Each structure stands twice: as structure tokens, then as C-alpha cells.
């Protein structure tokens, strides 16, 4: 079981991201027009400054692996398994 929420508010894209960061959401998957076209997601992590652009299959695989291994990914030195 993975929990996810989708921000469907009328806020701007940048405001939605800022709100998620302010609320200390550990993982943010951003799917905009470019990501839809490329079938990718931009993965932002709360503790890591650099964001990663990965395919949907890579993201799902990483989430499944992290869940199976019970990975605590909210530390800067823990890399995503992509």
C-alpha cells in the first residue's frame, strides 16, 4: 500500500510545489505537460536539493523496491534506487 495525494487546487504550479515543501512532504512527483508528453515524472525529495527526471516505469520500480526494503529515504545520503 502506497499513499499518494494529488493537488487539484486552482493554485499555480509553483505555489503547489511551494506548499508541498512548506508542509515537508518527503517525496513530490511532478507531472506537467512536458512530463505527460515524455511519460516521465520529476521526482523532488524534501531533503535533497537536486530533483530527478525518471520514467514512469523507473519511478514505480523504485517505489516498489523502497517499500519492499522499507527504505528510509528522507535522508540526504540515501540515493533513489533508479
Amino acid at each position: 500500500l502506497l499513499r499518494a495525494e494529488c493537488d487539484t487546487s486552482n493554485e499555480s504550479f509553483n505555489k503547489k510545489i511551494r506548499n508541498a515543501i512548506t508542509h515537508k512532504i518527503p517525496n513530490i512527483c511532478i507531472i506537467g505537460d512536458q512530463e505527460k508528453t515524455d511519460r516521465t515524472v520529476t521526482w523532488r525529495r524534501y531533503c535533497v536539493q537536486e530533483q530527478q527526471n525518471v520514467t514512469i516505469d523507473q519511478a514505480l520500480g523504485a517505489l516498489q523496491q523502497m517499500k519492499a526494503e522499507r527504505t528510509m529515504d528522507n535522508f540526504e545520503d540515501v540515493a533513489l534506487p533508479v
Side-chain angles (χ1 to χ4, degrees):
L1 175 69
L2 297 172
R3 291 183 301 177
E5 293 181 21
C6 183
D7 186 347
T8 59
S9 67
N10 291 329
E11 301 287 347
S12 71
F13 209 67
N14 288 333
K15 178 76 173 182
K16 290 178 183 185
I17 294 169
R18 201 169 330 119
N19 287 340
I21 292 169
T22 302
H23 287 95
K24 298 183 179 181
I25 305 297
N27 290 288
I28 306 167
C29 290
I30 303 166
I31 303 172
D33 290 334
Q34 186 63 47
E35 286 86 0
K36 280 191 228 176
T37 302
D38 297 342
R39 297 194 44 80
T40 61
V41 296
T42 300
W43 195 327
R44 277 183 82 120
R45 295 171 55 204
Y46 178 74
C47 60
V48 180
Q49 200 167 31
E50 188 176 312
Q51 56 191 22
Q52 292 182 339
N53 202 358
V54 297
T55 66
I56 292 172
D57 291 334
Q58 287 176 318
L60 291 174
L63 289 170
Q64 289 171 345
Q65 181 178 347
M66 291 164 58
K67 180 182 175 218
E69 295 174 0
R70 301 185 74 159
T71 303
M72 295 284 294
D73 71 322
N74 54 344
F75 298 104
E76 195 171 334
D77 61 341
V78 177
L80 288 176
V82 289

